[in-house]
Amino acid sequence: MRIRKSATLLTLLCLGLLSAGCQAGGGASDANRYIQSDIEQLEAAIVRCDEIAADKAIPSLETFDLLRQYEYEDVRVFLITRSAAMSEECQKPHLTELAYSIGMLEASTAYTEVEDLISSVKPLMYGKETWALKERYFQLPEAMRKELESIPYFQEPFRNIPIIKELESENRP
C-alpha cells in the first residue's frame, strides 16, 4: 500500500513538474524553480524513507508475541496507520518546507505562474485519506496504541505488509 502511494505521489509530482515546465514556455520562472526544488527534495525524501522501511527486517519474535495479544483487526489497523505515520514523520521536514513554499507562493504575485503545479500537489499533501487513517488510529484502544508505539521497531519507517501476512497466516483455519 505504501509503495503504491509513494509511486503514485512521485508520478503525479513528476507530471506536475513536466506540465509546469511546458507551461513556462522554455525557461522556468523563479517561482517555478523554487517550488520544483522543494518538490524534488520531497521526492528524494520519499525514496529515502521507503528505503529505510524496505531495509528493515521483520520485528522480533517478542514483538510478534505482543501483537498477538490484541485483536487481529486492531493490530492490522495499527500496523497500516503507524507505518504511514512513520513514513510521514520521516518526510516531515520536506513536507513542511513544501507547505511553507506553497503558502508563500499563494500569497505572492507569482502565484499565477505556479497555480497549476500547486493545484496538482496540494491534494496529495492534504487528502481526505490522511485524516481518515488518523481518525481510525485514534479509535484504537489507547493502552494498545501506547504500548505498541513504545516499541523501537514502530518508531521509524517500516513495512506493514510482511507483518500482516505473517499474522494472517497464523489466523487461517
Side-chain angles (χ1 to χ4, degrees), residues 63-114:
T63 300
F64 270 103
D65 289 342
L66 185 58
L67 291 171
R68 289 182 195 104
Q69 293 177 14
Y70 297 102
E71 293 291 323
Y72 169 73
E73 189 55 34
D74 286 348
V75 169
R76 188 174 176 281
V77 168
F78 172 84
L79 291 170
I80 292 169
T81 54
R82 185 68 179 179
S83 175
M86 291 300 92
S87 289
E88 182 180 299
E89 187 68 27
C90 180
Q91 300 162 14
K92 189 178 270 184
H94 301 288
L95 284 167
T96 302
E97 183 63 30
L98 181 57
Y100 173 78
S101 296
I102 288 171
M104 194 170 62
L105 286 169
E106 284 179 332
S108 78
T109 57
Y111 179 68
T112 55
E113 298 172 34
V114 292

Side-chain angles (χ1 to χ4, degrees), residues 9-65:
L9 179 61
L10 282 171
T11 301
L12 289 172
L13 289 174
C14 289
L15 287 174
L17 286 172
L18 181 61
S19 168
C22 291
Q23 290 174 4
S29 69
D30 289 339
N32 258 323
R33 282 192 301 275
Y34 181 75
I35 195 79
Q36 286 175 357
S37 173
D38 284 349
I39 291 170
E40 288 168 4
Q41 289 177 20
L42 177 58
E43 288 174 332
I46 290 168
V47 169
R48 183 178 42 78
C49 295
D50 278 350
E51 287 172 354
I52 291 170
D55 291 343
K56 199 169 193 179
I58 65 170
S60 67
L61 292 175
E62 293 82 20
T63 300
F64 270 103
D65 289 342

